Amino acid sequence: MSIQIEPARHARLGGFGHSTAADAMTAGRDAVRGALAGRLPARGDLVLVFPSPGYDLEELHRAAMEEAGSASVVGATTAGAFTDEAQVPFGCVAAYLGAEGGMSFGACHVRCDDADVAGSTRRAAEVARQRAGEEHEHSVLMVLCDGRATDQREMARGAYEVVGGAVPLVGGAAGDELGGQATYTFGEGAILAGGLVAVWINSARPMAVSIEHGWRPFGKPMLVTRAEGDTIVELDGRPALEAYVSERGAALGEDARAFAQKCMERPLGLPNAHGRYDVRHVQERAPGGGIVLPAGVPEHTVVQVMAGDAELLLEGARRAADTASAQLEEHARLALIFSSRTRAPLLGERLAEEVAVISSRLGGVAAGGFRTCGEFARVAGSTGIHNSSVALLVL
């Protein structure tokens, strides 16, 4: 059994801890204890937990809540987690955020109504905002959701109905280690499949949200000529799978797992209003020759196959950190990172460099987070839904 606890830094705000213990209660307790680093959590503080889904989650959650005391506990299962001290492919990472210096948090955990995803998100965000109390000059809405849930575009739309253009959105979808397992969210003492956690954060000082990826266009642009829900049926009038394979220039695996893993190497890019690309990864084949994405793409959208390598993806992480740093008026104190699980295969042996680059560019700040099945990030001019990207919340 391996147990690791690291001291938190930048103690005025909080820090991170992690455990790779095989026992669920030990992992939950020790990860939170490491994040607290001897501090006594108080009512109004926030603890985030990011465990592997293979644990007995009821036991892990119970131990984490006991260790967190009066603080609120929220979180999501992961496709791997990390801090600037360690990669945690199996284990639990925890973050502690203290309600000090003008910080306040409000959380709401709901089961998402598949018939009204936007409405579920809107109601959760409204309750979270109310629970956060009197608003300060700066606010952010963080969303964690089931990674296998209904269209994340509807979640972003529901959030936008509350935050508008003034309050940034950030977060990620729970992971499942690519094993086809259910994914779960944590909050208000409950563990939910099909759940959504909204956390409203108020602050007296600026906070930063950024999103980058590092992928570059590969092949020619194609037009979505037929789409149904989250499935692209045709590209340029051809079966979408046929057109995608032709442009990516390599065969795909026959079984579902091999197919998904090969598609991670070549996501689709959607040109955005800033002259760059929002990224969507291809999840699976659809009957009749379509391709399934995590979020639907409207007909008449232009898409392009994207390519990348470790250096390009690390450059994306650098840009995300630099963009966040430019939004701050003082030094960064802590960074939460939501990094797509699809980035891991290309980063390979350089996987740990992603969080190290982000921490370094932010002045050596404590940093950590988890590998997601979709990222939320919107400051302006974006739907807020991303794949194969890295999103940051810097406090």
Side-chain angles (χ1 to χ4, degrees):
M1 179 183 298
S2 174
I3 301 173
Q4 298 171 308
I5 304 175
E6 67 218 30
R9 288 173 284 156
H10 299 268
R12 288 184 59 196
L13 180 63
F16 293 91
H18 75 276
S19 173
T20 56
D23 175 72
M25 294 192 72
T26 302
R29 181 184 64 246
D30 288 352
V32 174
R33 185 176 293 173
L36 293 172
R39 292 178 290 251
L40 183 66
R43 184 176 178 82
D45 293 350
L46 183 69
V47 170
L48 298 102
V49 290
F50 303 127
S52 299
Y55 280 119
D56 182 324
L57 296 175
E58 293 284 353
E59 288 195 357
L60 186 146
H61 189 216
R62 183 167 60 252
M65 289 192 297
E66 289 174 358
E67 197 67 31
S70 299
S72 296
V73 176
V74 302
T77 55
T78 78
F82 50 84
T83 73
D84 55 301
E85 300 289 337
Q87 292 292 307
V88 186
F90 184 89
C92 182
V93 163
Y96 167 67
L97 303 178
E100 302 175 5
M103 297 286 295
S104 66
F105 311 97
C108 180
H109 188 203
V110 301
R111 192 181 302 278
C112 204
D113 180 357
D114 287 344
D116 187 12
V117 175
S120 296
T121 310
R122 182 183 65 252
R123 290 187 288 274
E126 288 171 341
V127 171
R129 180 174 61 183
Q130 182 181 24
R131 290 176 176 173
E134 182 180 353
E135 292 187 28
H136 294 286
E137 184 178 356
H138 308 283
S139 299
V140 168
L141 175 64
M142 180 170 63
V143 172
L144 306 173
C145 71
D146 185 336
R148 301 167 67 84
T150 308
D151 198 336
Q152 293 167 13
R153 292 182 308 171
E154 288 295 288
M155 293 182 183
R157 184 169 72 84
Y160 188 81
E161 291 175 4
V162 179
V163 302
V167 175
L169 169 70
V170 73
D176 69 349
E177 300 174 321
L178 291 179
Q181 303 160 284
T183 63
Y184 299 91
T185 51
F186 308 86
E188 297 191 76
I191 304 173
L192 296 178
L196 179 145
V197 182
V199 180
W200 193 277
I201 306 173
N202 290 327
S203 174
R205 55 181 271 174
M207 299 176 285
V209 168
S210 64
I211 182 79
E212 292 286 352
H213 50 75
W215 300 93
R216 60 173 177 80
F218 177 87
K220 67 178 179 63
M222 296 177 288
L223 186 69
V224 178
T225 47
R226 185 180 165 201
E228 297 175 357
D230 58 1
T231 300
I232 298 178
V233 180
E234 292 182 354
L235 289 167
D236 286 345
R238 302 166 62 192
L241 180 59
E242 176 187 313
Y244 170 71
V245 171
S246 176
E247 283 303 310
R248 77 185 304 280
L252 300 170
E254 290 300 319
D255 66 274
R257 187 181 180 91
F259 178 87
Q261 289 177 329
K262 291 294 290 183
C263 286
M264 290 181 189
E265 302 170 4
R266 294 288 189 270
L268 291 177
L270 285 63
N272 59 34
H274 301 287
R276 304 178 72 181
Y277 293 85
D278 295 331
V279 179
R280 302 282 186 272
H281 68 262
V282 177
Q283 289 186 308
E284 57 185 276
R285 300 177 179 90
I291 52 177
V292 181
L293 310 182
V297 175
E299 291 181 358
H300 310 300
T301 300
V302 174
V303 300
Q304 197 162 357
V305 174
M306 308 290 281
D309 57 29
E311 193 55 52
L312 286 170
L313 269 58
L314 290 173
E315 179 56 33
R318 293 184 190 98
R319 289 201 306 266
D322 290 347
T323 300
S325 181
Q327 298 172 36
L328 301 174
E329 294 178 355
E330 303 176 44
H331 63 81
R333 297 176 292 173
L334 182 144
L336 280 170
I337 304 171
F338 307 92
S339 179
S340 173
R341 67 180 184 180
T342 63
R343 298 170 65 83
L346 265 73
L347 288 168
E349 294 181 355
R350 303 184 69 181
L351 189 61
E353 290 185 43
E354 184 175 65
V355 61
V357 162
I358 292 167
S359 174
S360 175
R361 302 294 283 198
L362 292 169
V365 69
F370 74 102
R371 306 211 174 276
T372 65
C373 290
E375 302 77 60
F376 296 102
R378 188 203 57 77
V379 178
S382 170
T383 63
I385 299 301
H386 306 269
N387 299 134
S388 304
S389 302
V390 57
L392 305 183
L393 170 60
V394 182
L395 307 175

